[in-house]
Amino acid sequence: RSRKQQENLSASMRKSHPTPTPFTYPSEQWGLELEMQSDFRLYYQPIVALDTGRISGFEALVRWYHPTRGMVSPVDFIPLAEETGLIMDLGDWILQTACYQLREWQSKFPHGLEVTMVVNLSSLQLHNPHLVSQIQQLLDEMNLDNRYLKLEITESGLMENEEIALDLLRTMREAGIQLSIDDFGTGYSSLARLHNLPVNTLKIDKSFLQRTTFDHESWEIIETIIILAHKLGLTVVAEGIETGDQFELLQRLNCDYGQGYWLSRPMDASGATALLAKNPQW
Ligand code: C2E
Ligand code: MG
Ligand code: MG
Ligand code: MG
């Protein structure tokens, strides 16, 4: 994309970005107000236990609807939001909206809903010294148990900010918030560092699966990551499962969880709610 186009996109992002709204839950309008002010929406993609088929969580994925451009991919606007600093407010909004949605689900399905809300954090958000206390306040206000929130940080984001990140992750872990390393295998973390990271889960980057149809080596890498993760006491999520063959192979390799179009595409809130409603035992 050209510099000029980027500038235009930044300018329109600034304009359409919601002005930070004070947090007023349990006001019924809270979620709606934000929705009307902004062109941002969260979609939710199920993360499924490969042995039982149970939905273990939903990953919140942000979408931006531009009045003339239509849907802009987060791959394009997250880097812009990071460049402009908007990621801080947008990141807060994402956390609030995701927790609000989870609150709604837990209220709607009060009998044993064990679904986790998974939220991506930009590595820039790790620089907010109040992040943990803000998240704790949010969870308290929503009356959500900390263990139902899982935060994803990419492997590269983590390694670029190792000092800050480690402290922060430890504090989160102590608070009982779950943590995943996203896009694992694309960064440059050494195994020695991995051992010290206070996380629960490794998420194997989808690029490994995308290469696997004819590629034996990629499968060996995936198998190795799964074995390594299990040895370190971590669970593994494979992202980007697009075929039944991939699903079966991952099952055979003892991968714990999967996510991908073959299981379910990301859905809007009402789609995800309908899916939850289909099975009272989720
Ligand atoms: P990610 O966190 O690794 O999210 C997984 C991406 O893979 C999502 O793309 C999802 O729609 C896509 N995906 C899921 N299943 C499949 C599949 O079977 N095949 C293929 N080819 N793709 C699949 P999406 O929603 O476009 O998001 C892209 C990236 O943008 C995310 O990668 C994440 O890094 C970033 N992102 C998305 N939402 C947020 C957010 O709320 N905050 C932050 N900081 N970053 C976000
Ligand atoms: Mg993610
Ligand atoms: Mg990923
Ligand atoms: Mg990714």
Side-chain angles (χ1 to χ4, degrees):
R1 199 188 303 113
S2 77
R3 190 71 227 167
K4 182 78 197 152
Q5 275 175 311
Q6 278 226 356
E7 277 162 14
N8 287 342
L9 204 52
S10 303
S12 56
M13 268 187 83
R14 231 173 247 118
K15 231 170 51 201
S16 67
H17 186 71
T19 44
T21 311
F23 185 71
T24 55
Y25 184 83
S27 148
E28 284 295 308
Q29 276 96 49
W30 182 81
L32 291 174
E33 263 170 29
L34 278 177
E35 291 254 293
M36 286 188 294
Q37 282 171 22
S38 67
D39 298 306
F40 294 101
R41 295 277 186 286
L42 291 189
Y43 267 50
Y44 302 94
Q45 187 179 33
I47 297 170
V48 175
L50 295 185
D51 53 353
T52 61
R54 234 188 110 252
I55 296 181
S56 90
F58 280 92
E59 180 172 8
L61 295 161
V62 67
R63 301 301 177 238
W64 182 37
Y65 293 96
H66 188 275
T68 54
R69 284 185 188 82
M71 215 270 278
V72 185
S73 164
V75 176
D76 293 324
F77 74 79
I78 293 287
L80 268 171
E82 289 176 334
E83 228 175 89
T84 56
L86 283 173
I87 192 66
M88 303 312 263
D89 287 342
L90 182 59
D92 287 349
W93 179 84
I94 289 165
L95 274 163
Q96 288 172 1
T97 307
C99 288
Y100 180 86
Q101 184 58 61
L102 185 60
R103 171 71 273 154
E104 251 185 32
W105 286 337
Q106 289 196 354
S107 306
K108 202 173 162 82
F109 309 107
H111 303 297
L113 184 77
E114 282 295 320
V115 165
T116 301
M117 182 59 82
V118 181
V119 178
N120 291 284
L121 278 192
S122 158
S123 63
L124 288 184
Q125 289 175 272
L126 304 180
H127 294 268
N128 170 6
H130 308 296
L131 184 67
V132 181
S133 58
Q134 278 174 9
I135 291 175
Q136 187 61 64
Q137 196 188 336
L138 181 63
L139 291 167
D140 291 346
E141 280 168 356
M142 295 286 179
N143 194 21
L144 290 168
D145 199 309
N146 288 9
R147 71 196 163 96
Y148 292 113
L149 179 65
K150 190 163 191 169
L151 300 172
E152 290 194 353
I153 301 163
T154 62
E155 183 190 22
S156 49
L158 203 65
M159 295 306 150
E160 282 158 25
N161 302 275
E162 212 183 344
E163 288 304 303
I164 303 175
L166 266 181
D167 270 359
L168 203 110
L169 296 190
R170 278 199 197 101
T171 316
M172 300 235 200
R173 240 334 252 282
E174 277 159 22
I177 294 166
Q178 299 193 66
L179 297 164
S180 281
I181 303 184
D182 205 352
D183 301 348
F184 186 76
T186 60
Y188 48 90
S189 52
S190 74
L191 298 185
R193 277 161 164 172
L194 191 59
H195 190 60
N196 290 321
L197 288 176
V199 300
N200 310 81
T201 301
L202 287 190
K203 229 172 157 174
I204 304 175
D205 191 67
K206 59 177 177 289
S207 61
F208 290 103
L209 270 192
Q210 280 164 356
R211 294 194 293 250
T212 49
T213 323
F214 304 103
D215 181 349
H216 185 66
E217 233 172 63
S218 287
W219 278 112
E220 295 200 314
I221 293 172
I222 291 173
E223 181 175 21
T224 307
I225 294 175
I226 293 170
I227 291 168
L228 167 75
H230 286 164
K231 280 216 191 296
L232 294 173
L234 308 175
T235 58
V236 187
V237 181
E239 50 172 43
I241 301 177
E242 293 183 355
T243 69
D245 286 350
Q246 291 172 338
F247 177 81
E248 278 170 24
L249 255 161
L250 287 161
Q251 270 186 324
R252 249 182 279 153
L253 295 182
N254 269 328
C255 183
D256 307 287
Y257 302 99
Q259 190 179 350
Y261 297 160
W262 190 76
L263 293 160
S264 169
R265 296 219 166 225
M267 292 168 280
D268 65 13
S270 64
T273 305
L275 183 62
L276 284 174
K278 270 194 204 165
N279 188 341
Q281 281 158 38
W282 289 133

